[in-house]
Every structure is written in structure tokens, then in C-alpha cells.
Amino acid sequence: MRIILLGAPGTGKGTQGKFISEEYNIPKISTGDMLRESITLETKMSQFIQSQIKKGKLVSDKIVCDLIKNRIKKKDCSNGFLLDGFPRSIEQAYYLSESKITVDYILNFVMSHEKILDRISGRRIHPQSGRIYHIKFNPPKINNIDDITGDSLVLREDDKTETIKNRLKEYEKITYPLKKYYLNQALKEKLQFLEIDAADSLINIKNKIKSILKNNR
Ligand code: AMP
């Protein structure tokens, strides 16, 4: 099963992606996570990536397409995969299409920008595991502490309000057109495009996704 999670930052793609990955035993491939990991290498390229992320700007299509190309070749993707945060531009979607990388489902997470700002500013992450919490909607058992390891949680640098606003601008300008693109593709290919009300509760979204994917286990 191959799935793409579309939608603006902060709509819960990462949280639901983790659930789908565990439930259906397919790797969750997040270009955001891969880029953040690459920053630790301290090359010239990683400095550029870090400054783009910090500004809330997208990094170049070439960089992320190369990351995806190498990741999808790995053995654990033979059963399928879930893409979280890729594609984020029409050019990246063309890359998938030209590389004959087909997908079965596009799940488009929809939420107002006002709610997104609220959601992202309360988000806390455990960087080592990728676990995501929210101070109001999905709090850890102990304030600011990861439930499993006891490590401190962090606010991502690009989850600060000014950066979020830039990320949302980038989304509207560069990523939003993918909705039209994939709606069109769904008319031509064996591909299902489904909208998820991302403002719904975590459990309702989980159940909706389960019912969408139940015939594909
Ligand atoms: P995310 O964790 O998916 O919100 O991504 C964090 C940041 O990484 C984004 O704001 C972008 O700067 C960069 N990024 C992640 N995925 C992509 C992509 N597919 N194309 C371009 N930039 C990306």
C-alpha cells in the first residue's frame, strides 16, 4: 500500500502517519525528518537546508527528490510506504510520476490556518523517536516529558509563530496546487483522493483512516 499525506503543516499528518505506519507495517517517510537529520552533518549543503527550514521556506526540489529516490529504493519499502511532507510542489509530483512511482491513496488533511497556528504553537516533539505531543490536545503524562523515555520534549525551531506564518504562505503558493493536480490524476489513474477533516478529534480521524484503508491490509 502506497500513501501520500497532503496538507498544510500542523494538520496532524505526522501523528496520523505514525499510526498508519505501525498499523499497516509500512515505513513513514518524512522529508522533513530526513532534512533535519542531514543538518547534523554540517556540510555547506546542510547549512543551506538549515537556513531554509529556519525561515519556513521550502528546500530545493532536487535535494528532496534525491532523498526520496534513495529512500524508496530500500528493502523496507517493497511492501509500500507512506510519504509525509512529499511531494510539496508540482515539480516533486512530476518527479514521482516520471519515475513511475505510483500511489494508491492521497489523504488530504484540511484545517483553517487559524487553527493550524494554534495547533503548531502547542506542539512538542521527542526528536529521538519522532513522537509528537500537543500541550492541549495530546499532552504527555508528565508536563514536557516524553511518556516512554522520560526525556525532555522540545518546541521545534520552525514551530515558532513567525516561521509558521511563512510556512503557511509557502504552502498556499507552492503546495496547495497539488490538490487540483491529484484530483485530476484520480480521474485518470487507479488512485483515490480523500479529504480528512483535520480539526476532528485524533480518534475520529484514526477511525476514518482505518475505514478508508480496511480493504487493503
Ligand atoms: P516538515 O517536518 O514536513 O514540516 O518539514 C519541515 C521543513 O523541511 C519544511 O518547512 C521545509 O523547509 C523542509 N521540507 C520538508 N519536506 C520538503 C519538501 N518535500 N520540499 C521542500 N522542502 C521540504
Side-chain angles (χ1 to χ4, degrees), residues 38-74:
S38 75
I39 288 173
T40 57
L41 299 175
E42 290 182 9
T43 58
K44 253 216 166 117
M45 173 83 87
S46 65
Q47 280 169 15
F48 164 73
I49 293 171
Q50 186 168 27
S51 85
Q52 289 298 96
I53 292 181
K54 224 172 158 181
K55 284 188 265 186
K57 297 264 176 201
L58 294 183
V59 309
S60 70
D61 293 323
K62 166 97 176 82
I63 292 176
V64 284
C65 289
D66 282 350
L67 282 175
I68 286 291
K69 182 175 163 192
N70 292 324
R71 181 63 186 87
I72 281 178
K73 271 191 214 149
K74 295 202 172 150

PDB file of all heavy atoms in Angstrom, residues 38-74:
ATOM      1  N   SER A  38      19.878  15.447   8.238  1.00  0.00           N
ATOM      2  CA  SER A  38      21.035  15.778   7.406  1.00  0.00           C
ATOM      3  C   SER A  38      21.752  17.029   7.925  1.00  0.00           C
ATOM      4  O   SER A  38      22.937  17.226   7.666  1.00  0.00           O
ATOM      5  CB  SER A  38      20.624  15.957   5.943  1.00  0.00           C
ATOM      6  OG  SER A  38      19.962  17.189   5.785  1.00  0.00           O
ATOM      7  N   ILE A  39      21.028  17.871   8.665  1.00  0.00           N
ATOM      8  CA  ILE A  39      21.631  19.103   9.179  1.00  0.00           C
ATOM      9  C   ILE A  39      22.782  18.798  10.135  1.00  0.00           C
ATOM     10  O   ILE A  39      23.768  19.521  10.199  1.00  0.00           O
ATOM     11  CB  ILE A  39      20.556  19.957   9.905  1.00  0.00           C
ATOM     12  CG1 ILE A  39      19.613  20.559   8.878  1.00  0.00           C
ATOM     13  CG2 ILE A  39      21.185  21.051  10.748  1.00  0.00           C
ATOM     14  CD1 ILE A  39      18.425  21.272   9.480  1.00  0.00           C
ATOM     15  N   THR A  40      22.686  17.677  10.833  1.00  0.00           N
ATOM     16  CA  THR A  40      23.710  17.343  11.824  1.00  0.00           C
ATOM     17  C   THR A  40      25.065  17.062  11.158  1.00  0.00           C
ATOM     18  O   THR A  40      26.087  17.008  11.832  1.00  0.00           O
ATOM     19  CB  THR A  40      23.284  16.106  12.643  1.00  0.00           C
ATOM     20  OG1 THR A  40      23.040  15.045  11.707  1.00  0.00           O
ATOM     21  CG2 THR A  40      22.023  16.357  13.457  1.00  0.00           C
ATOM     22  N   LEU A  41      25.071  16.881   9.831  1.00  0.00           N
ATOM     23  CA  LEU A  41      26.328  16.546   9.142  1.00  0.00           C
ATOM     24  C   LEU A  41      27.260  17.752   8.947  1.00  0.00           C
ATOM     25  O   LEU A  41      28.432  17.595   8.659  1.00  0.00           O
ATOM     26  CB  LEU A  41      26.026  15.908   7.773  1.00  0.00           C
ATOM     27  CG  LEU A  41      25.226  14.609   7.832  1.00  0.00           C
ATOM     28  CD1 LEU A  41      24.888  14.123   6.435  1.00  0.00           C
ATOM     29  CD2 LEU A  41      25.993  13.531   8.591  1.00  0.00           C
ATOM     30  N   GLU A  42      26.715  18.958   9.083  1.00  0.00           N
ATOM     31  CA  GLU A  42      27.499  20.195   8.986  1.00  0.00           C
ATOM     32  C   GLU A  42      28.293  20.359   7.693  1.00  0.00           C
ATOM     33  O   GLU A  42      29.478  20.675   7.702  1.00  0.00           O
ATOM     34  CB  GLU A  42      28.422  20.333  10.209  1.00  0.00           C
ATOM     35  CG  GLU A  42      27.621  20.621  11.463  1.00  0.00           C
ATOM     36  CD  GLU A  42      28.455  20.826  12.712  1.00  0.00           C
ATOM     37  OE1 GLU A  42      29.690  20.910  12.594  1.00  0.00           O
ATOM     38  OE2 GLU A  42      27.849  20.891  13.780  1.00  0.00           O
ATOM     39  N   THR A  43      27.660  20.118   6.561  1.00  0.00           N
ATOM     40  CA  THR A  43      28.281  20.412   5.266  1.00  0.00           C
ATOM     41  C   THR A  43      27.711  21.759   4.789  1.00  0.00           C
ATOM     42  O   THR A  43      26.807  22.309   5.412  1.00  0.00           O
ATOM     43  CB  THR A  43      27.902  19.336   4.228  1.00  0.00           C
ATOM     44  OG1 THR A  43      26.476  19.318   4.133  1.00  0.00           O
ATOM     45  CG2 THR A  43      28.395  17.964   4.625  1.00  0.00           C
ATOM     46  N   LYS A  44      28.233  22.253   3.648  1.00  0.00           N
ATOM     47  CA  LYS A  44      27.717  23.511   3.078  1.00  0.00           C
ATOM     48  C   LYS A  44      26.238  23.368   2.756  1.00  0.00           C
ATOM     49  O   LYS A  44      25.422  24.251   2.999  1.00  0.00           O
ATOM     50  CB  LYS A  44      28.497  23.824   1.790  1.00  0.00           C
ATOM     51  CG  LYS A  44      29.462  24.948   1.963  1.00  0.00           C
ATOM     52  CD  LYS A  44      29.530  25.792   0.697  1.00  0.00           C
ATOM     53  CE  LYS A  44      30.247  27.098   1.025  1.00  0.00           C
ATOM     54  NZ  LYS A  44      31.476  27.243   0.289  1.00  0.00           N
ATOM     55  N   MET A  45      25.916  22.200   2.193  1.00  0.00           N
ATOM     56  CA  MET A  45      24.533  21.910   1.827  1.00  0.00           C
ATOM     57  C   MET A  45      23.629  21.936   3.065  1.00  0.00           C
ATOM     58  O   MET A  45      22.529  22.472   3.040  1.00  0.00           O
ATOM     59  CB  MET A  45      24.493  20.517   1.177  1.00  0.00           C
ATOM     60  CG  MET A  45      23.128  20.001   0.902  1.00  0.00           C
ATOM     61  SD  MET A  45      22.521  20.653  -0.634  1.00  0.00           S
ATOM     62  CE  MET A  45      23.173  19.434  -1.755  1.00  0.00           C
ATOM     63  N   SER A  46      24.158  21.380   4.168  1.00  0.00           N
ATOM     64  CA  SER A  46      23.302  21.311   5.360  1.00  0.00           C
ATOM     65  C   SER A  46      23.072  22.700   5.948  1.00  0.00           C
ATOM     66  O   SER A  46      22.030  22.971   6.535  1.00  0.00           O
ATOM     67  CB  SER A  46      23.865  20.334   6.391  1.00  0.00           C
ATOM     68  OG  SER A  46      25.083  20.796   6.869  1.00  0.00           O
ATOM     69  N   GLN A  47      24.046  23.599   5.745  1.00  0.00           N
ATOM     70  CA  GLN A  47      23.842  24.981   6.219  1.00  0.00           C
ATOM     71  C   GLN A  47      22.709  25.644   5.448  1.00  0.00           C
ATOM     72  O   GLN A  47      21.874  26.354   6.005  1.00  0.00           O
ATOM     73  CB  GLN A  47      25.116  25.804   6.035  1.00  0.00           C
ATOM     74  CG  GLN A  47      26.123  25.555   7.131  1.00  0.00           C
ATOM     75  CD  GLN A  47      27.475  26.168   6.805  1.00  0.00           C
ATOM     76  OE1 GLN A  47      27.592  27.003   5.915  1.00  0.00           O
ATOM     77  NE2 GLN A  47      28.492  25.741   7.521  1.00  0.00           N
ATOM     78  N   PHE A  48      22.675  25.372   4.137  1.00  0.00           N
ATOM     79  CA  PHE A  48      21.604  25.927   3.292  1.00  0.00           C
ATOM     80  C   PHE A  48      20.248  25.359   3.727  1.00  0.00           C
ATOM     81  O   PHE A  48      19.275  26.097   3.912  1.00  0.00           O
ATOM     82  CB  PHE A  48      21.881  25.587   1.818  1.00  0.00           C
ATOM     83  CG  PHE A  48      20.684  25.764   0.927  1.00  0.00           C
ATOM     84  CD1 PHE A  48      20.233  27.041   0.585  1.00  0.00           C
ATOM     85  CD2 PHE A  48      19.987  24.661   0.437  1.00  0.00           C
ATOM     86  CE1 PHE A  48      19.110  27.204  -0.212  1.00  0.00           C
ATOM     87  CE2 PHE A  48      18.863  24.824  -0.372  1.00  0.00           C
ATOM     88  CZ  PHE A  48      18.430  26.098  -0.696  1.00  0.00           C
ATOM     89  N   ILE A  49      20.224  24.038   3.949  1.00  0.00           N
ATOM     90  CA  ILE A  49      18.968  23.393   4.356  1.00  0.00           C
ATOM     91  C   ILE A  49      18.492  23.990   5.686  1.00  0.00           C
ATOM     92  O   ILE A  49      17.326  24.368   5.832  1.00  0.00           O
ATOM     93  CB  ILE A  49      19.164  21.860   4.492  1.00  0.00           C
ATOM     94  CG1 ILE A  49      19.443  21.255   3.118  1.00  0.00           C
ATOM     95  CG2 ILE A  49      17.951  21.197   5.133  1.00  0.00           C
ATOM     96  CD1 ILE A  49      19.856  19.791   3.144  1.00  0.00           C
ATOM     97  N   GLN A  50      19.423  24.119   6.606  1.00  0.00           N
ATOM     98  CA  GLN A  50      19.051  24.640   7.931  1.00  0.00           C
ATOM     99  C   GLN A  50      18.480  26.052   7.826  1.00  0.00           C
ATOM    100  O   GLN A  50      17.470  26.370   8.457  1.00  0.00           O
ATOM    101  CB  GLN A  50      20.282  24.652   8.831  1.00  0.00           C
ATOM    102  CG  GLN A  50      19.955  25.045  10.255  1.00  0.00           C
ATOM    103  CD  GLN A  50      21.119  24.771  11.202  1.00  0.00           C
ATOM    104  OE1 GLN A  50      22.280  24.776  10.775  1.00  0.00           O
ATOM    105  NE2 GLN A  50      20.824  24.522  12.443  1.00  0.00           N
ATOM    106  N   SER A  51      19.091  26.890   6.984  1.00  0.00           N
ATOM    107  CA  SER A  51      18.609  28.271   6.911  1.00  0.00           C
ATOM    108  C   SER A  51      17.233  28.320   6.226  1.00  0.00           C
ATOM    109  O   SER A  51      16.384  29.107   6.616  1.00  0.00           O
ATOM    110  CB  SER A  51      19.632  29.187   6.235  1.00  0.00           C
ATOM    111  OG  SER A  51      19.490  29.149   4.855  1.00  0.00           O
ATOM    112  N   GLN A  52      17.000  27.457   5.242  1.00  0.00           N
ATOM    113  CA  GLN A  52      15.669  27.423   4.597  1.00  0.00           C
ATOM    114  C   GLN A  52      14.603  26.992   5.606  1.00  0.00           C
ATOM    115  O   GLN A  52      13.547  27.599   5.704  1.00  0.00           O
ATOM    116  CB  GLN A  52      15.663  26.443   3.410  1.00  0.00           C
ATOM    117  CG  GLN A  52      16.431  26.887   2.201  1.00  0.00           C
ATOM    118  CD  GLN A  52      15.874  28.166   1.590  1.00  0.00           C
ATOM    119  OE1 GLN A  52      16.356  29.248   1.877  1.00  0.00           O
ATOM    120  NE2 GLN A  52      14.863  28.038   0.753  1.00  0.00           N
ATOM    121  N   ILE A  53      14.904  25.944   6.354  1.00  0.00           N
ATOM    122  CA  ILE A  53      13.928  25.434   7.329  1.00  0.00           C
ATOM    123  C   ILE A  53      13.643  26.502   8.383  1.00  0.00           C
ATOM    124  O   ILE A  53      12.492  26.750   8.738  1.00  0.00           O
ATOM    125  CB  ILE A  53      14.426  24.124   7.987  1.00  0.00           C
ATOM    126  CG1 ILE A  53      14.462  23.004   6.947  1.00  0.00           C
ATOM    127  CG2 ILE A  53      13.540  23.728   9.172  1.00  0.00           C
ATOM    128  CD1 ILE A  53      14.919  21.652   7.460  1.00  0.00           C
ATOM    129  N   LYS A  54      14.690  27.153   8.848  1.00  0.00           N
ATOM    130  CA  LYS A  54      14.541  28.184   9.876  1.00  0.00           C
ATOM    131  C   LYS A  54      13.659  29.335   9.391  1.00  0.00           C
ATOM    132  O   LYS A  54      12.890  29.906  10.147  1.00  0.00           O
ATOM    133  CB  LYS A  54      15.932  28.710  10.246  1.00  0.00           C
ATOM    134  CG  LYS A  54      16.097  28.865  11.741  1.00  0.00           C
ATOM    135  CD  LYS A  54      17.521  29.183  12.081  1.00  0.00           C
ATOM    136  CE  LYS A  54      17.561  29.848  13.457  1.00  0.00           C
ATOM    137  NZ  LYS A  54      18.899  30.196  13.834  1.00  0.00           N
ATOM    138  N   LYS A  55      13.777  29.653   8.074  1.00  0.00           N
ATOM    139  CA  LYS A  55      12.977  30.747   7.525  1.00  0.00           C
ATOM    140  C   LYS A  55      11.559  30.308   7.180  1.00  0.00           C
ATOM    141  O   LYS A  55      10.723  31.111   6.805  1.00  0.00           O
ATOM    142  CB  LYS A  55      13.650  31.271   6.240  1.00  0.00           C
ATOM    143  CG  LYS A  55      14.874  32.131   6.504  1.00  0.00           C
ATOM    144  CD  LYS A  55      15.366  32.774   5.222  1.00  0.00           C
ATOM    145  CE  LYS A  55      16.461  31.950   4.609  1.00  0.00           C
ATOM    146  NZ  LYS A  55      17.159  32.430   3.464  1.00  0.00           N
ATOM    147  N   GLY A  56      11.307  28.994   7.224  1.00  0.00           N
ATOM    148  CA  GLY A  56       9.984  28.498   6.836  1.00  0.00           C
ATOM    149  C   GLY A  56       9.838  28.379   5.334  1.00  0.00           C
ATOM    150  O   GLY A  56       8.739  28.333   4.798  1.00  0.00           O
ATOM    151  N   LYS A  57      10.978  28.343   4.626  1.00  0.00           N
ATOM    152  CA  LYS A  57      10.966  28.220   3.161  1.00  0.00           C
ATOM    153  C   LYS A  57      11.196  26.768   2.770  1.00  0.00           C
ATOM    154  O   LYS A  57      11.871  26.025   3.499  1.00  0.00           O
ATOM    155  CB  LYS A  57      12.113  29.049   2.555  1.00  0.00           C
ATOM    156  CG  LYS A  57      11.994  30.519   2.816  1.00  0.00           C
ATOM    157  CD  LYS A  57      11.359  31.151   1.639  1.00  0.00           C
ATOM    158  CE  LYS A  57      11.089  32.620   1.817  1.00  0.00           C
ATOM    159  NZ  LYS A  57      10.068  33.103   0.917  1.00  0.00           N
ATOM    160  N   LEU A  58      10.739  26.397   1.597  1.00  0.00           N
ATOM    161  CA  LEU A  58      10.987  25.030   1.126  1.00  0.00           C
ATOM    162  C   LEU A  58      12.428  24.911   0.663  1.00  0.00           C
ATOM    163  O   LEU A  58      13.018  25.876   0.184  1.00  0.00           O
ATOM    164  CB  LEU A  58      10.052  24.685  -0.034  1.00  0.00           C
ATOM    165  CG  LEU A  58       8.555  24.612   0.294  1.00  0.00           C
ATOM    166  CD1 LEU A  58       7.771  24.187  -0.933  1.00  0.00           C
ATOM    167  CD2 LEU A  58       8.286  23.647   1.437  1.00  0.00           C
ATOM    168  N   VAL A  59      13.006  23.719   0.764  1.00  0.00           N
ATOM    169  CA  VAL A  59      14.327  23.489   0.170  1.00  0.00           C
ATOM    170  C   VAL A  59      14.110  23.063  -1.290  1.00  0.00           C
ATOM    171  O   VAL A  59      12.975  22.851  -1.711  1.00  0.00           O
ATOM    172  CB  VAL A  59      15.163  22.447   0.955  1.00  0.00           C
ATOM    173  CG1 VAL A  59      15.213  22.764   2.435  1.00  0.00           C
ATOM    174  CG2 VAL A  59      14.629  21.051   0.766  1.00  0.00           C
ATOM    175  N   SER A  60      15.196  22.957  -2.051  1.00  0.00           N
ATOM    176  CA  SER A  60      15.014  22.767  -3.496  1.00  0.00           C
ATOM    177  C   SER A  60      14.439  21.380  -3.813  1.00  0.00           C
ATOM    178  O   SER A  60      14.654  20.409  -3.080  1.00  0.00           O
ATOM    179  CB  SER A  60      16.341  22.958  -4.223  1.00  0.00           C
ATOM    180  OG  SER A  60      17.191  21.875  -3.924  1.00  0.00           O
ATOM    181  N   ASP A  61      13.711  21.340  -4.932  1.00  0.00           N
ATOM    182  CA  ASP A  61      13.113  20.074  -5.382  1.00  0.00           C
ATOM    183  C   ASP A  61      14.183  19.005  -5.574  1.00  0.00           C
ATOM    184  O   ASP A  61      13.985  17.847  -5.230  1.00  0.00           O
ATOM    185  CB  ASP A  61      12.365  20.288  -6.710  1.00  0.00           C
ATOM    186  CG  ASP A  61      11.147  21.178  -6.530  1.00  0.00           C
ATOM    187  OD1 ASP A  61      10.485  21.067  -5.479  1.00  0.00           O
ATOM    188  OD2 ASP A  61      10.869  21.988  -7.427  1.00  0.00           O
ATOM    189  N   LYS A  62      15.337  19.423  -6.116  1.00  0.00           N
ATOM    190  CA  LYS A  62      16.404  18.457  -6.413  1.00  0.00           C
ATOM    191  C   LYS A  62      16.844  17.726  -5.128  1.00  0.00           C
ATOM    192  O   LYS A  62      16.989  16.503  -5.108  1.00  0.00           O
ATOM    193  CB  LYS A  62      17.580  19.214  -7.052  1.00  0.00           C
ATOM    194  CG  LYS A  62      18.875  18.463  -7.133  1.00  0.00           C
ATOM    195  CD  LYS A  62      19.049  17.839  -8.496  1.00  0.00           C
ATOM    196  CE  LYS A  62      20.379  17.138  -8.671  1.00  0.00           C
ATOM    197  NZ  LYS A  62      20.462  15.797  -8.130  1.00  0.00           N
ATOM    198  N   ILE A  63      17.035  18.496  -4.061  1.00  0.00           N
ATOM    199  CA  ILE A  63      17.511  17.892  -2.803  1.00  0.00           C
ATOM    200  C   ILE A  63      16.501  16.865  -2.297  1.00  0.00           C
ATOM    201  O   ILE A  63      16.847  15.729  -1.974  1.00  0.00           O
ATOM    202  CB  ILE A  63      17.755  18.984  -1.729  1.00  0.00           C
ATOM    203  CG1 ILE A  63      18.937  19.859  -2.127  1.00  0.00           C
ATOM    204  CG2 ILE A  63      18.000  18.354  -0.347  1.00  0.00           C
ATOM    205  CD1 ILE A  63      19.204  21.033  -1.197  1.00  0.00           C
ATOM    206  N   VAL A  64      15.216  17.255  -2.231  1.00  0.00           N
ATOM    207  CA  VAL A  64      14.250  16.315  -1.643  1.00  0.00           C
ATOM    208  C   VAL A  64      13.959  15.137  -2.576  1.00  0.00           C
ATOM    209  O   VAL A  64      13.756  14.011  -2.104  1.00  0.00           O
ATOM    210  CB  VAL A  64      12.930  17.005  -1.205  1.00  0.00           C
ATOM    211  CG1 VAL A  64      13.118  17.771   0.081  1.00  0.00           C
ATOM    212  CG2 VAL A  64      12.351  17.877  -2.275  1.00  0.00           C
ATOM    213  N   CYS A  65      13.963  15.383  -3.891  1.00  0.00           N
ATOM    214  CA  CYS A  65      13.717  14.263  -4.817  1.00  0.00           C
ATOM    215  C   CYS A  65      14.847  13.231  -4.711  1.00  0.00           C
ATOM    216  O   CYS A  65      14.595  12.024  -4.746  1.00  0.00           O
ATOM    217  CB  CYS A  65      13.572  14.759  -6.255  1.00  0.00           C
ATOM    218  SG  CYS A  65      12.036  15.662  -6.515  1.00  0.00           S
ATOM    219  N   ASP A  66      16.086  13.705  -4.544  1.00  0.00           N
ATOM    220  CA  ASP A  66      17.208  12.769  -4.377  1.00  0.00           C
ATOM    221  C   ASP A  66      17.057  11.964  -3.083  1.00  0.00           C
ATOM    222  O   ASP A  66      17.324  10.759  -3.052  1.00  0.00           O
ATOM    223  CB  ASP A  66      18.554  13.515  -4.359  1.00  0.00           C
ATOM    224  CG  ASP A  66      18.999  13.913  -5.759  1.00  0.00           C
ATOM    225  OD1 ASP A  66      18.359  13.444  -6.732  1.00  0.00           O
ATOM    226  OD2 ASP A  66      19.948  14.698  -5.879  1.00  0.00           O
ATOM    227  N   LEU A  67      16.615  12.642  -2.020  1.00  0.00           N
ATOM    228  CA  LEU A  67      16.414  11.926  -0.748  1.00  0.00           C
ATOM    229  C   LEU A  67      15.369  10.831  -0.918  1.00  0.00           C
ATOM    230  O   LEU A  67      15.552   9.693  -0.482  1.00  0.00           O
ATOM    231  CB  LEU A  67      15.927  12.902   0.343  1.00  0.00           C
ATOM    232  CG  LEU A  67      16.951  13.823   0.999  1.00  0.00           C
ATOM    233  CD1 LEU A  67      16.252  14.790   1.955  1.00  0.00           C
ATOM    234  CD2 LEU A  67      17.995  13.017   1.761  1.00  0.00           C
ATOM    235  N   ILE A  68      14.269  11.179  -1.583  1.00  0.00           N
ATOM    236  CA  ILE A  68      13.175  10.223  -1.777  1.00  0.00           C
ATOM    237  C   ILE A  68      13.640   9.060  -2.661  1.00  0.00           C
ATOM    238  O   ILE A  68      13.383   7.891  -2.372  1.00  0.00           O
ATOM    239  CB  ILE A  68      11.948  10.933  -2.402  1.00  0.00           C
ATOM    240  CG1 ILE A  68      11.261  11.801  -1.349  1.00  0.00           C
ATOM    241  CG2 ILE A  68      10.961   9.963  -3.033  1.00  0.00           C
ATOM    242  CD1 ILE A  68      10.563  11.036  -0.232  1.00  0.00           C
ATOM    243  N   LYS A  69      14.362   9.407  -3.713  1.00  0.00           N
ATOM    244  CA  LYS A  69      14.848   8.382  -4.656  1.00  0.00           C
ATOM    245  C   LYS A  69      15.650   7.314  -3.905  1.00  0.00           C
ATOM    246  O   LYS A  69      15.413   6.114  -4.059  1.00  0.00           O
ATOM    247  CB  LYS A  69      15.730   9.079  -5.694  1.00  0.00           C
ATOM    248  CG  LYS A  69      16.290   8.206  -6.761  1.00  0.00           C
ATOM    249  CD  LYS A  69      17.012   9.089  -7.741  1.00  0.00           C
ATOM    250  CE  LYS A  69      17.944   8.307  -8.615  1.00  0.00           C
ATOM    251  NZ  LYS A  69      18.830   9.213  -9.356  1.00  0.00           N
ATOM    252  N   ASN A  70      16.569   7.762  -3.062  1.00  0.00           N
ATOM    253  CA  ASN A  70      17.419   6.806  -2.346  1.00  0.00           C
ATOM    254  C   ASN A  70      16.651   6.059  -1.252  1.00  0.00           C
ATOM    255  O   ASN A  70      16.909   4.887  -1.007  1.00  0.00           O
ATOM    256  CB  ASN A  70      18.620   7.527  -1.730  1.00  0.00           C
ATOM    257  CG  ASN A  70      19.545   8.028  -2.815  1.00  0.00           C
ATOM    258  OD1 ASN A  70      19.713   7.371  -3.849  1.00  0.00           O
ATOM    259  ND2 ASN A  70      20.112   9.205  -2.627  1.00  0.00           N
ATOM    260  N   ARG A  71      15.697   6.733  -0.644  1.00  0.00           N
ATOM    261  CA  ARG A  71      14.959   6.087   0.461  1.00  0.00           C
ATOM    262  C   ARG A  71      14.009   5.009  -0.065  1.00  0.00           C
ATOM    263  O   ARG A  71      13.894   3.923   0.522  1.00  0.00           O
ATOM    264  CB  ARG A  71      14.181   7.180   1.238  1.00  0.00           C
ATOM    265  CG  ARG A  71      13.380   6.669   2.428  1.00  0.00           C
ATOM    266  CD  ARG A  71      14.292   6.064   3.481  1.00  0.00           C
ATOM    267  NE  ARG A  71      13.554   5.435   4.560  1.00  0.00           N
ATOM    268  CZ  ARG A  71      13.121   4.170   4.537  1.00  0.00           C
ATOM    269  NH1 ARG A  71      13.354   3.404   3.478  1.00  0.00           N
ATOM    270  NH2 ARG A  71      12.473   3.666   5.562  1.00  0.00           N
ATOM    271  N   ILE A  72      13.341   5.318  -1.174  1.00  0.00           N
ATOM    272  CA  ILE A  72      12.328   4.391  -1.692  1.00  0.00           C
ATOM    273  C   ILE A  72      12.950   3.098  -2.247  1.00  0.00           C
ATOM    274  O   ILE A  72      12.307   2.061  -2.312  1.00  0.00           O
ATOM    275  CB  ILE A  72      11.450   5.123  -2.745  1.00  0.00           C
ATOM    276  CG1 ILE A  72      10.427   5.980  -2.013  1.00  0.00           C
ATOM    277  CG2 ILE A  72      10.720   4.168  -3.669  1.00  0.00           C
ATOM    278  CD1 ILE A  72       9.527   6.792  -2.882  1.00  0.00           C
ATOM    279  N   LYS A  73      14.255   3.183  -2.583  1.00  0.00           N
ATOM    280  CA  LYS A  73      14.965   2.000  -3.108  1.00  0.00           C
ATOM    281  C   LYS A  73      15.168   0.945  -2.014  1.00  0.00           C
ATOM    282  O   LYS A  73      15.445  -0.210  -2.294  1.00  0.00           O
ATOM    283  CB  LYS A  73      16.369   2.428  -3.551  1.00  0.00           C
ATOM    284  CG  LYS A  73      16.457   2.885  -4.973  1.00  0.00           C
ATOM    285  CD  LYS A  73      17.932   2.986  -5.312  1.00  0.00           C
ATOM    286  CE  LYS A  73      18.204   4.115  -6.274  1.00  0.00           C
ATOM    287  NZ  LYS A  73      19.526   4.710  -6.066  1.00  0.00           N
ATOM    288  N   LYS A  74      15.079   1.364  -0.744  1.00  0.00           N
ATOM    289  CA  LYS A  74      15.411   0.435   0.356  1.00  0.00           C
ATOM    290  C   LYS A  74      14.384  -0.680   0.467  1.00  0.00           C
ATOM    291  O   LYS A  74      13.215  -0.516   0.109  1.00  0.00           O
ATOM    292  CB  LYS A  74      15.551   1.206   1.670  1.00  0.00           C
ATOM    293  CG  LYS A  74      16.718   2.162   1.631  1.00  0.00           C
ATOM    294  CD  LYS A  74      17.196   2.522   3.002  1.00  0.00           C
ATOM    295  CE  LYS A  74      18.494   3.329   2.854  1.00  0.00           C
ATOM    296  NZ  LYS A  74      18.682   4.271   3.914  1.00  0.00           N
TER     297      LYS A  74
END
